[in-house]
Amino acid sequence: MNEMVQQVLCCVLTGYLLGSLSPAFVIGKLRGYDVRKSGSGNAGASNTVILVGKLAGLVVALLDILKAAGSWSLCAAMFPQLRLAGFFAGVSAILGHMFPIWLRFHGGKGLACLGGVVVACDWRSLLLLLAVALCIALVTRYVAVATVSMSLIWPLYYGLTSGYWLGAAVLLIPAVPIFLRHIPNFRRIRRGEELRMSFLWDKQRELDRIGYKDSEE
């Protein structure tokens, strides 16, 4: 097998396996529930906020960011001669987070890991892209719309600012699975059952609005 192909496969496997690690699932098990079967059923930070609280959700988000950024940095250091090493690892971490082998491919939606890829790829762009994502979420009132939008905006922005369109094409790979994973969110938006952005500062009102009942109650 060609050495470059072996390196690419190593980056993909490393990123995928690290991305498959789920802090949301671990926290849920420690609290006595399965995050895939409780709340929104999403193994990520947003569902952890619903089930445990903001602090736990923040911890999960930071760990998800770290595993994507760490995958990128690790593979870039392992294969410095392969310019796309970090790109393949970071994208694979996003896919691993969304479809983790340890959790029977039932993971999160990819937003925090996408942020981790931005941090590793070009941390100077992070604040700008966060501002854009926040504006989209505030205008549309839904985080799901911001997530899907950023999966398209980020690769385009990177390509335009760096001129490295091959890298931008790799960064675009998660856009389709991210969109597909959010189809249930868009259906809930249409039915008026999706949590709005205001959930972050008015949790109970939003849960009451969509008729959410804690399974422990």
Side-chain angles (χ1 to χ4, degrees):
M1 186 182 295
N2 182 280
E3 182 180 356
M4 180 176 292
V5 174
Q6 292 179 342
Q7 293 174 353
V8 170
L9 291 177
C10 183
C11 292
V12 170
L13 184 60
T14 299
Y16 176 78
L17 291 177
L18 288 176
S20 291
L21 300 175
S22 177
F25 179 78
V26 173
I27 288 178
K29 280 300 181 181
L30 292 174
R31 294 293 296 264
Y33 66 85
D34 187 334
V35 71
R36 299 167 298 172
K37 300 176 182 179
S38 304
S40 67
N42 171 44
S46 60
N47 199 24
T48 302
V49 173
I50 294 174
L51 296 168
V52 184
K54 294 178 183 178
L55 180 58
L58 178 61
V59 170
V60 169
L62 290 176
L63 290 174
D64 286 342
I65 290 171
L66 181 61
K67 69 185 182 184
S71 298
W72 179 299
S73 301
L74 176 62
C75 288
M78 289 171 57
F79 306 110
Q81 71 280 11
L82 181 62
R83 186 175 181 183
L84 286 171
F87 292 82
F88 285 124
V91 164
S92 297
I94 296 174
L95 298 178
H97 172 76
M98 296 171 64
F99 309 104
I101 188 171
W102 323 117
L103 302 181
R104 298 183 180 180
F105 308 105
H106 189 148
K109 298 296 180 68
L111 178 59
C113 283
L114 181 62
V117 168
V118 174
V119 170
C121 183
D122 184 9
W123 62 269
R124 295 165 298 182
S125 303
L126 182 62
L127 290 180
L128 174 61
L129 291 169
L130 279 176
V132 172
L134 181 60
C135 287
I136 293 173
L138 289 174
V139 170
T140 63
R141 298 189 295 180
Y142 296 104
V143 175
V145 178
T147 303
V148 173
S149 298
M150 294 312 297
S151 71
L152 297 170
I153 292 172
W154 160 237
L156 178 60
Y157 173 83
Y158 177 79
L160 289 171
T161 55
S162 70
Y164 188 40
W165 288 101
L166 181 57
V170 175
L171 293 173
L172 190 61
I173 291 173
V176 171
I178 285 176
F179 172 75
L180 293 176
R181 285 282 284 141
H182 281 82
I183 288 177
N185 297 79
F186 294 132
R187 289 174 177 165
R188 288 195 295 269
I189 288 174
R190 187 172 64 245
R191 298 194 301 265
E193 299 172 356
E194 177 75 351
L195 288 170
R196 294 171 179 165
M197 181 71 175
S198 57
F199 166 76
L200 293 176
W201 57 83
D202 198 354
K203 175 181 174 179
Q204 194 56 52
R205 183 174 181 179
E206 273 299 287
L207 293 177
D208 291 342
R209 182 183 66 81
I210 66 171
Y212 172 80
K213 298 295 183 183
D214 193 327
S215 60
E216 296 181 357
E217 290 183 352

